[in-house]
Amino acid sequence: MTKCVLFVCLGNICRSPTAEAVMRHIISQAGTTSQWLVDSCGTAGYHLGGAPDERAQAELAKHGITTMHRGRQLCKDDFKKFDYIFGMDEENFRNIKSLAPADNRAVLGLLGEYDKQGGKIIDDPYYGGEADFEEVYQKCLRCCQEFYRQASRDN
Ligand code: 4NP
């Protein structure tokens, strides 16, 4: 059965497209791409149709990862389509929960809960610098690796 995971941040140009690209890379390396549906979106519609932030793309490129993602906004249908919906910070999480239908069955959580090094929040790097984008990448990598391990085991 296909496992469907959606990563959600505010603008869908920094954190969630990074998590999406990292997750795609992990499943591609594991040879399980056909078993997964992976996507990302924002709670806001600031960057609809836009490519990820150049700094996020540069950080991914340092690790040999590219992304074709284009910005989109979280919508009600996402709660039917995805098994897991992960926000990056408490504000994302509140906004995700407020859009969830009463009969929602998707698992809603913070991606950072999978970080074995602790720290549940993946901070917004938009007004930061290269080091902040690197931190986002490294945290997404640790979390997606652990989520992948647990989701693969659960099946
Ligand atoms: P993201 O970062 O939520 O990680 O994509 C942001 C991107 C854009 C804005 C805020 C956060 N913005 O205000 O345009």
Side-chain angles (χ1 to χ4, degrees):
M1 215 173 68
T2 307
K3 290 183 257 289
C4 306
V5 59
L6 179 66
F7 300 103
V8 185
C9 61
L10 174 62
N12 193 213
I13 55 169
C14 300
R15 292 165 292 176
S16 62
T18 296
E20 178 197 334
V22 165
M23 187 71 192
R24 286 186 191 282
H25 188 67
I26 289 168
I27 63 179
S28 166
Q29 297 262 313
T32 56
T33 297
S34 64
Q35 298 169 28
W36 285 85
L37 174 69
V38 183
D39 197 8
S40 67
C41 65
T43 56
Y46 306 146
H47 300 280
L48 300 181
D53 188 289
E54 284 183 4
R55 297 164 296 174
Q57 291 196 55
E59 184 58 36
L60 288 166
K62 275 201 232 166
H63 304 278
I65 302 175
T66 54
T67 171
M68 298 294 290
H69 184 74
R70 293 295 177 266
R72 74 167 183 91
Q73 192 168 9
L74 180 67
C75 64
K76 287 208 179 279
D77 273 356
D78 287 324
F79 293 89
K80 292 190 203 126
K81 188 170 171 188
F82 291 93
D83 306 308
Y84 304 92
I85 300 178
F86 294 131
M88 303 291 143
D89 61 32
E90 299 287 2
E91 186 188 1
N92 306 150
F93 193 45
R94 270 196 304 278
N95 288 328
I96 292 167
K97 282 189 288 189
S98 69
L99 199 65
D103 61 349
N104 170 58
R105 292 178 63 188
V107 173
L108 309 181
L110 284 168
L111 180 61
E113 285 170 6
Y114 289 90
D115 191 351
K116 287 180 157 179
Q117 292 187 17
K120 290 185 179 173
I121 305 304
I122 302 181
D123 288 316
D124 182 354
Y126 189 63
Y127 295 104
E130 196 179 331
D132 301 290
F133 280 84
E134 188 175 348
E135 202 175 306
V136 166
Y137 171 84
Q138 294 295 345
K139 200 166 176 75
C140 286
L141 179 62
R142 290 194 300 276
C143 294
C144 287
Q145 282 171 331
E146 179 59 17
F147 167 62
Y148 179 80
R149 200 183 64 76
Q150 291 189 25
S152 304
R153 184 196 59 198
D154 290 346
N155 199 11

